[in-house]
Structure formats: structure tokens, C-alpha cells
């Protein structure tokens, strides 16, 4: 057997690509600079003076003296000025001034690389079915989720650093709301929400107690069910707080993108994209989806259309398709956001009074400067959802196949498989040193503690929860922008 495996070679090649090629050929930069996005350039003071019918005066303006400094009176123009903004395509030079552009570029490019590694690894496993080999794509997916949480946390903490406390109050309020919602969801039985948390926790507790007993320790379990659910509820509240403003922003971009779309197909795709988190949520509601798909009531007899394994695979494919659809519609949503500059100017023209040229320029320019923040708020939740689903497939021992069930492993087979692995490992180590045997026993014991049953329950719940948070916040944002704001 070779010293360097296929997975390690793929990882090393992809790491070299990220280091050497990505800075020059960036997919994230191409998304912004491919010519499909138009941004509006703010007018200069000279242009505003000409439109306002004023002549530029060097020193004849009214000046006032304050603390020994001569200050010019701010130049103002009428709000109903006949101003038309100039649209330009985004270039690579323009991206240098965008806030959070390095974070956006790194997250998107690394996600693409991690997805490629995951795909190659899945093909490798399907062709060779290696034994006793760690799936290194799990590490890539965990790194992607780490970067997503880091970026979302960085943007969320920015709301707590500004003087205005409106955004801070919104984050705290939604965090508390999602904490209560999570505690309510966690008491729902498996007959309605089929996550597998109860089965996974029971398997985890039983495996942990056996592991501790073999180490000579007496224990009732590592953690109680109440503590487990409480920690999970706190994590859910944290995720909900991070996804608050991405969901609110998505609602506004959805409304603007609908007004921008001309053909019926694009409008239909935008509606499906907005409702995609709700579709994902319903996939785990057993009485609504699974009972009617797996065992539909057809007359007096219930004829199963598919097995539970096929339904689990179908659920994974639906989530991935909806994530790809949302990523495919990123241009429509970002262009809808960029059009806010022109929309703000048109709204200003309906108002009476005057506005300073500096404030008008800031109003137009800040829309473009925060483009990458909006892009991160759009793609980060989708990336989180996508790679949580990929982890669910790999760590939960699910299958991609919809027609064959040969690769599906039932929960009972999982437990029996790990027990057989542990017994064979002990037999092989009988003639080795005692220390090596103990280490092997400990590692095999941990495999019986952290089983695919536990990962199935946890990752199914987290995938469902991310989709639920996105739909809740975007639905509230839709109601807010549609009915509570003045058009």
C-alpha cells in the first residue's frame, strides 16, 4: 500500500491551486466582474452644481470662522434636481474599495475548492470503497463551516460596535426568539419531526457508558438529555442571530428582483428560490411529506412508492438542487441591490427641501461599497446549508443512489458493524504490546460513542434549523418591507 493515499494527493493538489492559481483566477472575483452587474457612480460636485444652475465660486461663498479655522458653508442642491446616475460595469479595480472583499473572495473560492475535493472523494469512495481510511472531505466541509461562522460572526459583531442600537436590538430579539423556538421544537416527538435526535442521543449515551465502564469508571452517562437539548437550543439561538440580517436582506432583494424581472420563468424561479427554505423544512415533517411519499394512501391499500433509504437520498438531492438554484440566481439579487442607488435618488426627488452634495454622494456611493457585505449575506447561509447537508450524507452514512439501496446502512447494521470492528481489532492486537492495544481499544470505543446515528440526528436537525431560520427571517423581512415601510 502506498504511503500517500489518493485523498491526501487530492488535498495537496487543491491546496496548491488555492495558493498559486486562485489569486490570479478567482471565481469569486469573476462573479462580480464578468460584466453582468452594473453599479451607479456617484456624481461629482461640479456635475451637481451644473445641474443646480450654480456657478463654481472660488472664495466668494459665505464663510464663517470657528476656533480660528475658516469653514465653508456646505454646498447644497435641491432634492428634486434632475439627476441621472451613470451606470458602469464592475471591474477588478473597483473591487479593491469594497468592504469585506477579501473575506468574500476567500470564502467563495475556498468553498468551490472544498466542493471539488468532496466530489472527487465521493467518486473515489464509490469506485474503490476503501476500508479503514478517513474521509478527508469531512475536514474540508468543517473548514468551510468554520469560515462561514467566522464571517457571519464578524458582520454581526459590527452591529454591536456602532452607536445606533437598532440593529443590536434586532439581533438580540431574534436570538431570544429562536432560543424559545428551538426549545419548543426539541420537545416535539419523532412522529412529527423525524430528525433521529432521540435515537442518536440514546445510542450516544449507551456507547459512552460502555466506554467509561471499560475504562474502569462508573457513570450514568456523559450528559443528561435536558443538558444536551439546552446546549443545542443555545447553539440554535446563536445560529438564528447570525442569520437574522441575511434573511431580512434577502426579503428586500427578492422584492426588488421581482420588479426587475421581465419574463415569467425568472419570476417563477425567484418565487421558488424564496420558498426553498420552506420546502426544506417540510421534508422533515413526517405527516406532510414522508408519510404521503413513502406510503401514500391509495384506496384501501398502502402501496409504498419508495423505501426510507430512497427518501433520505431524495431529500439530500432536493436540498442540493435548491441550494444550487439560489446560487444561480445571485446575479439577479445583487443587481437588485445595486439598483437601490438609483431607487434612492428617485425617492429623494419626490421630497422637498435641499440636501448637501456630500450626503447625496454618500447615499449613492455606499450602495456599491457594501456590495460584498450583501454578497456574503446572500451566499454564506447557502454555503452553510449546502455543506451541512454534505456532512449529513457522509457522517450519517447515507447514499446518493435513488434506485439502488446497496450502499444504504440501517441504524441496526451500523451498531452491529461497529461492534464487529471492535472485536476484530482486539483479536488482531493480542500479540502486540499492551499500550498499543489499549490505544486501539480506546479509539474503537470512541467509534461506538460517536456513531453515524448520532451524526444523523444532529446534522439532520441542524440542516432543518438553518432552513427554518432563513425562512422565518426572510418571511418577517418580506412582511416588513411590504407593509411596514413607506414606499
Amino acid at each position: 500500500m502506498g504511503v500517500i493515499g489518493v485523498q491526501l494527493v487530492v488535498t495537496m493538489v487543491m491546496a496548491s491551486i488555492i495558493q498559486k492559481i486562485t489569486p490570479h483566477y478567482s471565481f469569486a472575483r469573476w462573479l462580480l466582474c464578468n460584466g453582468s452587474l452594473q453599479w451607479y457612480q456617484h456624481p461629482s460636485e461640479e456635475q451637481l452644481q451644473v445641474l443646480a444652475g450654480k456657478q463654481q465660486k472660488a472664495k466668494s461663498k459665505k464663510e464663517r470662522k470657528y476656533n480660528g479655522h475658516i469653514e465653508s458653508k456646505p454646498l447644497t442642491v435641491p432634492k428634486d434636481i434632475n439627476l441621472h446616475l451613470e451606470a458602469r460595469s464592475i471591474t477588478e479595480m473597483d473591487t479593491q474599495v469594497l468592504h469585506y472583499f477579501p473575506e468574500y473572495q476567500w470564502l467563495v473560492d475556498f468553498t468551490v475548492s472544498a466542493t471539488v475535493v468532496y466530489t472527487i472523494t465521493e467518486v473515489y469512495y464509490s469506485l474503490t470503497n476503501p476500508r479503514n481510511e478517513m474521509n478527508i472531505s469531512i475536514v474540508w466541509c468543517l473548514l468551510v463551516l468554520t469560515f462561514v461562522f467566522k464571517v457571519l460572526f464578524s458582520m454581526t459583531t459590527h452591529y454591536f460596535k456602532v452607536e445606533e442600537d437598532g440593529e443590536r436590538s434586532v439581533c438580540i430579539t431574534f436570538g431570544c426568539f429562536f432560543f424559545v423556538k428551538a426549545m419548543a421544537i426539541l420537545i416535539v416527538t419523532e412522529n412529527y419531526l423525524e430528525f433521529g435526535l432521540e435515537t442518536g442521543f440514546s445510542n450516544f449515551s449507551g456507547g459512552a457508558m460502555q466506554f467509561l465502564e471499560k475504562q474502569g469508571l462508573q457513570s450514568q452517562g456523559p450528559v443528561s438529555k435536558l443538558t444536551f437539548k439546552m446546549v443545542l437550543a443555545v447553539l440554535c439561538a446563536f445560529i438564528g442571530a447570525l442569520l437574522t440580517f441575511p434573511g431580512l436582506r434577502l426579503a428586500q432583494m427578492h422584492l426588488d428582483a421581482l420588479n426587475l424581472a421581465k419574463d415569467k420563468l425568472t419570476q417563477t424561479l425567484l418565487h421558488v428560490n424564496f420558498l426553498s427554505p420552506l420546502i426544506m423544512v417540510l421534508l422533515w415533517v413526517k405527516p406532510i411529506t414522508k408519510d404521503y411519499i413513502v406510503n401514500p394512501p391509495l384506496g384501501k391499500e398502502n402501496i409504498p412508492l419508495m423505501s426510507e433509504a430512497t427518501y433520505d437520498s431524495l431529500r439530500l438531492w432536493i436540498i442540493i438542487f435548491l441550494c444550487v438554484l439560489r446560487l444561480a440566481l445571485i446575479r439577479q439579487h445583487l443587481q437588485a441591490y445595486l439598483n437601490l442607488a438609483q431607487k434612492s435618488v428617485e425617492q429623494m426627488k419626490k421630497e422637498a427641501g435641499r440636501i448637501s452634495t456630500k450626503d447625496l454622494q454618500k447615499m449613492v456611493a455606499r450602495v456599491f461599497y457594501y456590495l460584498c457585505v450583501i454578497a456574503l449575506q446572500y451566499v454564506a447561509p447557502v454555503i452553510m446549508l449546502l455543506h451541512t447537508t454534505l456532512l449529513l450524507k457522509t457522517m450519517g452514512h447515507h447514499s446518493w443512489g435513488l434506485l439502488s439501496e446497496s450502499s444504504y446502512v440501517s441504524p441496526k447494521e451500523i451498531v452491529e458493524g461497529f461492534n464487529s470492528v471492535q472485536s476484530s481489532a482486539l483479536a488482531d492486537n493480542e500479540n502486540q504490546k499492551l499500550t498499543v492495544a489499549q490505544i486501539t481499544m480506546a479509539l474503537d470505543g470512541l467509534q461506538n460513542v460517536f456513531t453515524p446515528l448520532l451524526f444523523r440526528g444532529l446534522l439532520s436537525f441542524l440542516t432543518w434549523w438553518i432552513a427554518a431560520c432563513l425562512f422565518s427571517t426572510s418571511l418577517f423581512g418580506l412582511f416588513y418591507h411590504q407593509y411596514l415601510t413607506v414606499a
Side-chain angles (χ1 to χ4, degrees), residues 28-60:
R29 188 168 56 241
W30 177 82
L31 284 178
L32 300 181
C33 306
N34 59 9
S36 61
L37 293 177
Q38 302 284 327
W39 68 285
Y40 294 93
Q41 188 177 16
H42 66 81
S44 62
E45 289 193 3
E46 291 76 13
Q47 292 174 333
L48 293 175
Q49 285 180 346
V50 172
L51 292 175
K54 292 185 176 182
Q55 297 293 330
Q56 186 175 5
K57 300 179 182 180
K59 294 294 183 180
S60 60

Side-chain angles (χ1 to χ4, degrees), residues 176-190 192-193 195 197-198 229-230 232-234 236 461 464-465:
C176 296
F177 165 74
F178 283 122
F179 177 75
V180 176
K181 180 180 178 180
M183 301 220 18
I185 293 298
L186 287 172
I187 64 175
V188 178
T189 63
E190 298 284 339
Y192 298 99
L193 292 175
F195 302 130
L197 270 178
E198 299 291 338
K229 292 190 174 183
M230 185 66 67
L232 201 56
V234 173
C236 291
F461 175 76
W464 182 91
W465 179 254

Side-chain angles (χ1 to χ4, degrees), residues 267-475:
Q267 293 178 355
T268 303
L269 291 177
L270 289 172
H271 284 301
V272 174
N273 174 59
F274 184 80
L275 294 175
S276 58
L278 176 62
I279 299 174
M280 300 178 193
V281 167
L282 294 179
L283 290 175
W284 272 277
V285 182
K286 191 175 180 181
I288 297 178
T289 53
K290 187 172 183 178
D291 289 346
Y292 282 92
I293 295 178
V294 177
N295 294 306
L298 301 176
K300 297 182 179 180
E301 298 181 358
N302 291 338
I303 303 176
L305 295 181
M306 63 180 68
S307 62
E308 292 191 4
T310 304
Y311 178 79
D312 292 337
S313 301
L314 177 64
R315 181 163 52 194
L316 296 177
W317 280 112
I318 292 175
I319 295 175
I320 292 176
F321 170 76
L322 294 175
C323 290
V324 172
L325 173 63
R326 175 157 294 192
L327 293 175
L329 294 174
I330 184 174
R331 191 200 69 82
Q332 286 79 0
H333 288 83
L334 292 184
Q335 187 59 57
Y337 166 75
L338 290 172
N339 289 347
L340 287 179
Q342 182 65 38
K343 186 178 179 181
S344 301
V345 172
E346 297 298 329
Q347 178 66 28
M348 180 195 68
K349 292 180 180 180
K350 300 177 183 179
E351 302 174 358
R354 303 179 69 86
I355 184 173
S356 68
T357 56
K358 295 294 184 183
D359 292 340
L360 196 153
Q361 290 172 337
K362 290 180 181 179
M363 179 182 67
V364 176
R366 68 185 177 187
V367 174
F368 176 64
Y369 291 156
Y370 284 95
L371 174 62
C372 285
V373 176
I374 305 305
L376 281 172
Q377 289 181 339
Y378 185 86
V379 301
V382 186
I383 293 173
M384 183 193 303
L385 191 58
L386 175 62
H387 281 266
T388 305
T389 305
L390 297 181
L391 283 178
L392 171 60
K393 186 271 168 189
T394 302
M395 302 182 71
H397 285 196
H398 286 296
S399 170
W400 291 119
L402 296 177
L403 299 179
S404 104
E405 305 175 24
S406 57
S407 59
Y408 176 74
V409 184
S410 65
K412 183 178 180 181
E413 292 173 343
I414 290 174
V415 178
E416 293 176 352
F418 277 104
N419 290 334
S420 63
V421 169
Q422 182 181 7
S423 60
S424 62
L426 292 176
D428 294 338
N429 289 329
E430 286 179 356
N431 298 326
Q432 296 180 0
K433 294 182 179 180
L434 182 60
T435 305
V436 177
Q438 290 176 344
I439 294 176
T440 306
M441 290 176 58
L443 293 177
D444 291 333
L446 288 177
Q447 285 183 332
N448 282 336
V449 176
F450 299 99
T451 62
L453 282 179
L454 175 64
F455 293 127
R456 281 188 189 184
L458 276 177
L459 294 173
S460 295
F461 175 76
L462 290 178
T463 304
W464 182 91
W465 179 254
I466 294 171
C469 290
L470 282 175
F471 182 72
S472 300
T473 54
S474 59
L475 186 64

Side-chain angles (χ1 to χ4, degrees), residues 206-220:
M209 291 178 62
Q210 292 180 5
F211 175 76
L212 293 175
E213 289 177 357
K214 291 180 180 179
Q215 304 302 317
L217 301 175
Q218 296 294 329
S219 174
Q220 299 296 325

